[in-house]
């Protein structure tokens, strides 16, 4: 199956099929339009050092439905400037059914620590958002091509904590290394397991709010447009809450100085997150990212 066909087969997901940490929806397709998913599956807990070294952040979204009910959801993002976060467009988008009321970005590797700090009046590890930007051609529709251009930016009110580094965006020629069976490391604040509900028999996700990572995830294909990468998740991968989170590739051609690049942004996948996931490629969206980093900083 070529990449475009593979990507198209994943377009059956609804908005809940995207990786925002919300209640999972049922789907039978391989990775359709927008199916919702959560945390890193079969991974390990990340250290704070790993988070800081790679500029990974959590994003808490404040939402309101059409009836005025309020709630929240979790996404993940990566620093590309000290005050700019790269994430998924679907994390920042509002719909008729669900309106984004606000968002905050946090710099702890678990939400329990953040809550404890905030309860004590310590807001050193949280930043308000000042401006949100999504790709002008982002589409979450179930019609036609389904989800496309699932990438966005957040400008923070103030810089990230000084101990957090900015991720390396890849050069254009890195695309030649992002081939079938090349491996990446995925990370995010999403779910890490599914349990069967004793009463309903349905799978219920759990474990989000803690940063995790999984290495050795293989590339299936890099979309012919260069905009999306499909990953094999049979041995672990992304899920609900990992939306917007990073895929890191380490270039080892210089063995003395290997360099790690942010090559993907989590978009969507199939429940229960054990087959394929689709990421927006930072190589394919390089021009958009660079142009709009400058725009969002104005």
């Amino acid at each position: 199956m070529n990449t475009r066909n593979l990507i198209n087969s994943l377009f059956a997901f609804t908005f809940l099929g995207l990786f925002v940490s919300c209640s999972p929806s049922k789907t039978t397709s391989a990775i359709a339009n927008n199916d919702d998913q959560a945390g890193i599956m079969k991974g390990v807990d990340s250290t704070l050092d790993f988070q800081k070294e790679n500029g990974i952040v959590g994003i808490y979204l404040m939402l309101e439905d059409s009836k005025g009910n309020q709630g929240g959801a979790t996404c993940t993002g990566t620093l590309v400037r000290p005050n700019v976060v790269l994430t998924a467009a679907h994390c920042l988008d509002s719909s008729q059914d669900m309106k984004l009321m606000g968002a905050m970005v946090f710099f702890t590797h678990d939400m329990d620590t953040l809550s404890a700090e905030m309860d004590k009046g310590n807001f050193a590890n949280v930043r308000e958002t000042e401006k949100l930007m999504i790709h002008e051609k982002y589409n979450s529709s179930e019609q036609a091509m389904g989800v496309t251009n699932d990438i966005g930016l957040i400008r923070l009110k103030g810089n990230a904590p000084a101990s957090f580094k900015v991720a390396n965006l890849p050069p254009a020629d890195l695309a030649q290394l992002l081939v079938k069976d090349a491996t990446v490391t995925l990370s995010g604040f999403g779910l890490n397991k599914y349990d069967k509900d004793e009463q309903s028999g349905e799978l219920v996700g759990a474990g989000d709010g803690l940063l995790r990572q999984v290495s050795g995830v293989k590339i299936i294909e890099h979309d012919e447009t260069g905009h999306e990468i499909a990953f094999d998740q049979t041995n672990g991968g992304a899920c609900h809450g990992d939306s917007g989170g990073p895929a890191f590739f380490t270039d080892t051609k210089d063995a003395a100085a290997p360099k790690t690049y942010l090559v993907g942004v989590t978009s969507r996948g199939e429940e229960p997150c054990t087959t394929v996931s689709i990421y927006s490629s930072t190589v394919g969206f390089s021009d958009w990212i660079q142009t709009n980093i400058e725009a969002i900083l104005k």
Side-chain angles (χ1 to χ4, degrees), residues 262-279:
L262 171 63
V263 297
V265 175
T266 321
S267 179
R268 60 198 184 279
E270 181 192 27
E271 292 181 314
C273 310
T274 56
T275 54
V276 182
S277 61
I278 301 298
Y279 277 55

Side-chain angles (χ1 to χ4, degrees), residues 1-9 220-224 230:
M1 178 183 293
N2 72 27
T3 307
R4 192 67 253 171
N5 288 339
L6 171 63
I7 302 299
N8 288 348
S9 74
I220 297 174
E221 288 182 294
H222 202 168
D223 171 326
E224 63 189 22

Side-chain angles (χ1 to χ4, degrees), residues 42-120:
K42 298 183 181 179
V44 299
D45 295 354
S46 296
T47 64
L48 186 57
D49 286 342
F50 173 85
Q51 181 184 13
K52 290 178 177 180
E53 182 68 22
N54 293 286
I56 306 168
V57 303
I59 304 167
Y60 185 75
L61 309 167
M62 290 153 275
L63 306 169
E64 184 176 284
D65 68 16
S66 57
K67 296 181 180 179
N69 299 311
Q70 296 182 340
T74 305
C75 277
T76 305
T78 311
L79 288 169
V80 289
R81 293 290 187 275
N83 64 337
V84 179
V85 172
L86 182 67
T87 189
H90 76 259
C91 290
L92 310 178
D93 191 36
S94 291
S95 68
Q96 290 183 342
D97 298 324
M98 193 68 67
K99 183 178 181 181
L100 178 63
M101 305 301 291
M104 67 177 186
V105 172
F106 58 93
F107 298 87
T108 61
H109 66 295
D110 69 279
M111 292 190 72
D112 287 342
T113 295
L114 178 69
S115 295
E117 289 178 353
M118 293 176 69
D119 284 345
K120 296 177 181 178

Side-chain angles (χ1 to χ4, degrees), residues 99-232:
K99 183 178 181 181
L100 178 63
M101 305 301 291
M104 67 177 186
V105 172
F106 58 93
F107 298 87
T108 61
H109 66 295
D110 69 279
M111 292 190 72
D112 287 342
T113 295
L114 178 69
S115 295
E117 289 178 353
M118 293 176 69
D119 284 345
K120 296 177 181 178
N122 178 1
F123 297 92
N125 286 314
V126 64
R127 299 289 184 274
E128 293 180 65
T129 58
E130 192 165 46
K131 188 175 182 180
L132 308 178
M133 180 180 292
I134 65 174
H135 196 289
E136 59 278 4
K137 293 184 179 180
Y138 166 65
N139 177 21
S140 64
S141 172
E142 296 178 48
Q143 307 299 319
M145 291 298 291
V147 178
T148 54
N149 303 301
D150 192 7
I151 197 160
L153 293 168
I154 300 171
R155 187 175 79 189
L156 307 177
K157 288 185 178 179
N159 287 348
S163 56
F164 275 72
K165 294 185 178 180
V166 171
N168 296 310
L169 290 169
D173 62 1
L174 195 73
Q176 64 188 341
L177 301 181
L178 301 179
V179 296
K180 181 177 172 58
D181 292 335
T183 60
V184 298
T185 295
L186 310 180
S187 186
F189 284 88
L191 307 183
N192 71 332
K193 64 179 180 178
Y194 274 94
D195 296 319
K196 183 172 288 188
D197 184 270
E198 294 182 0
Q199 293 183 337
S200 67
E202 294 184 355
L203 292 174
V204 178
D208 56 335
L210 175 65
L211 185 64
R212 298 182 181 87
Q213 65 195 77
V214 59
S215 299
V217 177
K218 292 184 178 181
I219 294 175
I220 297 174
E221 288 182 294
H222 202 168
D223 171 326
E224 63 189 22
T225 69
H227 284 171
E228 294 185 322
I229 309 175
F231 294 123
D232 179 354

